[in-house]
Amino acid sequence: MNDKPAKKPSKYQAHQPDADGFIEYSDTEHGTWQTLMQRQLGMIEGRVCQEYLDGLERLALPEDRIPQLKDVDRVLMEATGWQTAQVPALIPFNTFFELLASKRFPVATFIRTPEELDYLQEPDIFHEIFGHCPMLTNPSFAEFTETYGKLGLAASKEERVYLARLYWMTVEFGLVDTPAGRRIYGGGIISSPKETLHSLSDVPAHHPFGPVDALRTPYRIDILQPLYYVIDDLRTLHDLANRDIMALVHEAMRLGLFAPTFEPKQAANA
């Protein structure tokens, strides 16, 4: 789960809206958005699912400036009843789950610096708006995300750790098979040029999606993912939202985690 409390404070500061809800950004920040938009629009062509492209068209995000949240909200509300919620750079788990459960997607109102264009551990406004919001116009994706929030609110600390893996393997790094071929729907991939190319290459493993398997799969946030789970159709998320997910969590807890397919962080950084 990308939206999570950090062990140390973020170096980024979210911008605050004025009395009319307008958030002002600098020319440099608008320029960073434009660079990211232009790069990723070319990168995702032929690689993302049609539902994402439909949502992106509906949102009509500007290429040359950071969008205002109220403009994004107008489209999301009409499509699925969702809206954004302006948050600081990092938020507690409880706040994250409360927002999702009330159909509000957290958006940190800062953008990465030009020096961190390629990778940022903290979710910025480009990741949240470009990566996730187009998919929130899809009813199946939106329903699953709301259900996830409600489950997280009621879950124990240990259950939340397992739920985080499900979110990671779907909302953040999910792939879907379509009549046109394998495509991306996870926002963590869509907002990253390296992950976009890597995810559909022959380098990582691609496993058929099974919720218990996803719940049992360890991951690291600071590397290109070594494996991705592939759903057959976005309706899979609708079906999953209507299952007893907590029973699946308990089954995963009983079975235990799979062996990691990556080096431990210390060894990897040695």
Side-chain angles (χ1 to χ4, degrees), residues 92-133:
F93 275 124
N94 268 350
T95 303
F96 178 71
F97 290 123
E98 286 170 1
L99 289 172
L100 296 188
S102 59
K103 302 174 76 169
R104 301 175 68 205
F105 198 79
V107 175
T109 50
F110 72 90
I111 194 162
R112 67 197 71 180
T113 63
E115 292 75 31
E116 291 190 293
L117 280 182
D118 289 335
Y119 176 73
L120 187 70
Q121 286 196 23
E122 303 161 45
D124 70 347
I125 194 168
F126 180 75
H127 168 80
E128 305 291 30
I129 297 295
F130 184 83
H132 286 300
C133 284

Side-chain angles (χ1 to χ4, degrees), residues 36-128:
L36 292 168
M37 277 286 286
Q38 291 176 345
R39 182 170 68 173
Q40 278 306 98
L41 285 173
M43 188 72 67
I44 65 175
E45 187 174 349
R47 296 185 174 99
V48 296
C49 65
Q50 187 59 47
E51 290 85 352
Y52 174 87
L53 293 174
D54 292 343
L56 189 63
E57 183 177 3
R58 291 185 73 165
L59 287 172
L61 300 176
E63 285 190 37
D64 61 343
R65 59 182 171 82
I66 299 172
Q68 293 296 315
L69 297 188
K70 61 183 180 179
D71 296 329
V72 175
D73 289 347
R74 192 177 304 115
V75 177
L76 293 183
M77 182 64 72
E78 180 182 336
T80 55
W82 275 73
Q83 57 186 318
T84 62
Q86 182 227 329
V87 298
L90 296 155
I91 58 176
F93 275 124
N94 268 350
T95 303
F96 178 71
F97 290 123
E98 286 170 1
L99 289 172
L100 296 188
S102 59
K103 302 174 76 169
R104 301 175 68 205
F105 198 79
V107 175
T109 50
F110 72 90
I111 194 162
R112 67 197 71 180
T113 63
E115 292 75 31
E116 291 190 293
L117 280 182
D118 289 335
Y119 176 73
L120 187 70
Q121 286 196 23
E122 303 161 45
D124 70 347
I125 194 168
F126 180 75
H127 168 80
E128 305 291 30

Side-chain angles (χ1 to χ4, degrees), residues 220-263:
R220 276 179 53 185
I221 69 171
D222 60 338
I223 59 173
L224 293 172
Q225 299 304 297
L227 73 87
Y228 302 87
Y229 283 101
V230 186
I231 59 177
D232 294 328
D233 187 280
L234 283 179
R235 285 190 295 266
T236 299
L237 298 180
H238 162 77
D239 296 340
L240 181 57
N242 288 278
R243 293 182 65 179
D244 186 349
I245 294 178
M246 291 314 298
L248 301 176
V249 168
H250 294 151
E251 182 180 353
M253 291 169 68
R254 179 181 61 81
L255 293 170
L257 296 182
F258 292 126
T261 55
F262 49 81
E263 294 181 352

